[in-house]
Amino acid sequence: MQRLERTRSGRRTEAQHGLSARELRETLDEVGICTWSLDPANGRVAISENCHAILGVSARRLTDHDAFQAVVHPEDRAGRAAAVRGALEHGGRYNIEYRVCQADGAIRWVRSHGRAELGRGTRPTRFRGIVYCIDAHRRAEARLQRLQADLIHVSRLSAMGEMASALAHELNQPLGAISNYTTACDHFLSEPGNEQIEAARSALAAAARQAQRAGGIIRRLRDFVTRGETDRRSESVAGLLEDACDLALVGSRAQGVETRIDPGPPGIRVLADRVQIQQVLVNLIRNACEAMRDSACRNLAIVAAAQDDGSVCISVSDTGPGVAEAVAESLFLPFVTTKSTGMGVGLSVSRSIVQAHGGTFRVDSPATGGATFHFTLPAAED
Ligand code: ADP
């Protein structure tokens, strides 16, 4: 439709925001994407000028496959060669990561997407792709792994606190990359042509991978919290509530929070991993206290009750403003937060823990106001 409009009027409409080849190249340069093509007939490579910033070699030197291989880290050459060979022999795409060695001895990680199109026969007619640097992401991953290894040695609760700030930092990188890729996509799609659509697809795929990476960071946090042998035993509900409150209510009295704890009938017990359920209670109690910060009335109630179905329900209620409408639907998804410094992982991690115990997790908005979070655990004998 847009094309027709353009042909008729002979000029670009405002809505098209068409990109010239130069603008397209500049956009790719801006987001750090290097494009290349290889002519299967003579093996010659043409590569964009920004390859110097990414691969550390000028476009003049990267004239063929061998010249390209020479900058690849020796340990990664065979993998790259196999990917290229596979695409050339059978057509199709590849998507690989490898290291490049720069003249000054520095090593950088890059990701490369290639696509070979087969002609009528079995011989490829076109072979092209993109390369971009993922060095910062790789370093961030390595740092995250080191961080996790260190955190194993500290208690889970303080680890959660430390991890939160480190993760917020780590998450900025994939989120920044997603923003760059989608901006580039917007440019490509404003004047759809085969090449632009292909480039937009690659940028979208890269954005999706970054989103998965961000999700992966959260998954790792969840793994950390729920990792290892879960040590489920028969635990006294009164003892669980008492311990969790000791941890979570530090300083709450000074904030004017009135707390009521009702552990239910005497001797009531659940089958639970004590540390993990404390983690859930601490998350809920801290959220409740934070929610009531600006409320005139600050009442917190932590109540346990035996259910007919053989489970025990534990509820945490507050007199805050209740769950904001904007997040009500997606409350248990990671990253959902209304707090300026929030991570939005507490509820998603808590729900995973409860579900792993075979329980359920839900939130209520009582008519009297505030929010009530309920979770169930299987009841246990002595
Ligand atoms: P975070 O506390 O880092 O935001 P959570 O997953 O624990 O992460 O909570 C997600 C969001 O759920 C909060 O940002 C807040 O908007 C909402 N929420 C959680 N608990 C309460 C509560 N007791 N009252 C009102 N809103 C709440």
Side-chain angles (χ1 to χ4, degrees), residues 119-378:
R120 284 219 181 86
T122 51
R123 299 206 61 76
T125 51
R126 282 170 70 91
F127 188 31
R128 63 207 155 84
I130 60 169
V131 182
Y132 53 90
C133 181
I134 54 164
D135 213 27
H137 306 158
R138 280 283 183 152
R139 262 186 285 133
E141 270 170 10
R143 218 169 45 238
L144 181 64
Q145 276 164 12
R146 277 201 304 277
L147 188 71
Q148 284 183 324
D150 290 347
L151 286 176
I152 296 294
H153 301 294
V154 297
S155 83
R156 284 183 190 216
L157 293 179
S158 65
M160 280 291 287
E162 289 193 42
M163 221 166 184
S165 64
L167 284 169
H169 177 70
E170 298 293 336
L171 285 169
N172 273 339
Q173 291 178 343
L175 294 179
I178 288 168
S179 165
N180 284 343
Y181 286 130
T182 47
T183 306
C185 248
D186 192 35
H187 284 295
F188 297 146
L189 291 178
S190 56
E191 192 184 19
N194 283 345
E195 281 203 3
Q196 284 88 334
I197 286 176
E198 194 46 48
R201 256 196 209 128
S202 301
L204 268 182
R209 272 192 305 280
Q210 292 299 328
Q212 278 165 2
R213 197 173 100 77
I217 292 173
I218 289 298
R219 259 194 312 283
R220 262 173 289 192
L221 172 64
R222 213 183 267 162
D223 287 348
F224 174 76
V225 175
T226 55
R227 182 190 300 163
E229 296 289 306
T230 50
D231 189 13
R232 282 185 212 159
R233 295 159 187 248
S234 168
E235 297 282 354
S236 130
V237 171
L240 279 177
L241 297 192
E242 201 179 312
D243 286 355
C245 289
D246 278 352
L247 286 168
L249 289 174
V250 176
S252 68
R253 204 173 285 268
Q255 290 166 23
V257 175
E258 281 299 321
T259 307
R260 178 170 71 90
I261 302 172
D262 175 359
I268 168 178
R269 302 182 79 82
V270 286
L271 188 64
D273 180 308
R274 187 179 186 80
V275 178
Q276 289 186 347
I277 296 306
Q278 276 173 9
Q279 181 73 63
V280 173
L281 283 164
V282 167
N283 281 338
L284 294 180
I285 295 168
R286 281 187 177 170
N287 275 348
C289 292
E290 277 177 35
M292 295 189 289
R293 201 165 280 163
D294 297 326
S295 304
C297 164
R298 298 175 197 165
N299 292 339
L300 171 70
I302 303 152
V303 177
Q307 311 267 95
D308 290 342
D309 63 1
S311 67
V312 172
C313 181
I314 299 175
S315 308
V316 178
S317 311
D318 63 63
T319 52
V323 173
E325 220 169 277
V327 294
E329 294 285 307
S330 47
L331 207 57
F332 299 115
L333 298 179
F335 300 131
V336 172
T337 182
T338 51
K339 300 171 192 169
S340 56
T341 54
M343 280 284 295
V345 296
L347 290 178
S348 95
V349 166
S350 298
R351 189 173 67 163
S352 302
I353 291 174
V354 169
Q355 288 175 340
H357 278 73
T360 58
F361 197 102
R362 67 187 172 87
V363 59
D364 254 354
S365 301
T368 49
T372 304
F373 287 83
H374 309 272
F375 66 95
T376 63
L377 293 171

Side-chain angles (χ1 to χ4, degrees), residues 23-191:
E23 288 165 334
L24 186 61
R25 173 111 323 140
E26 279 172 7
T27 306
L28 288 167
D29 282 356
E30 259 168 45
V31 294
I33 295 175
C34 169
T35 53
W36 57 264
S37 65
L38 181 147
D39 184 344
N42 58 21
R44 290 185 70 86
V45 167
I47 189 161
S48 56
E49 290 294 336
N50 66 345
C51 69
H52 192 266
I54 296 157
L55 302 169
V57 185
S58 74
R60 264 178 295 116
R61 280 188 47 206
L62 289 177
T63 49
D64 58 21
H65 176 75
D66 289 346
F68 221 118
Q69 279 292 84
V71 300
V72 176
H73 190 285
E75 289 173 16
D76 298 340
R77 280 181 196 152
R80 178 179 178 273
V84 170
R85 205 168 40 244
L88 280 172
E89 281 172 10
H90 310 294
R93 302 164 192 274
Y94 68 78
N95 177 352
I96 52 172
E97 288 177 7
Y98 56 84
R99 288 161 291 179
V100 292
C101 305
Q102 308 208 311
D104 61 2
I107 292 174
R108 302 182 87 184
W109 276 97
V110 298
R111 179 172 274 275
S112 167
H113 302 256
R115 183 181 177 201
E117 288 168 30
L118 296 183
R120 284 219 181 86
T122 51
R123 299 206 61 76
T125 51
R126 282 170 70 91
F127 188 31
R128 63 207 155 84
I130 60 169
V131 182
Y132 53 90
C133 181
I134 54 164
D135 213 27
H137 306 158
R138 280 283 183 152
R139 262 186 285 133
E141 270 170 10
R143 218 169 45 238
L144 181 64
Q145 276 164 12
R146 277 201 304 277
L147 188 71
Q148 284 183 324
D150 290 347
L151 286 176
I152 296 294
H153 301 294
V154 297
S155 83
R156 284 183 190 216
L157 293 179
S158 65
M160 280 291 287
E162 289 193 42
M163 221 166 184
S165 64
L167 284 169
H169 177 70
E170 298 293 336
L171 285 169
N172 273 339
Q173 291 178 343
L175 294 179
I178 288 168
S179 165
N180 284 343
Y181 286 130
T182 47
T183 306
C185 248
D186 192 35
H187 284 295
F188 297 146
L189 291 178
S190 56
E191 192 184 19

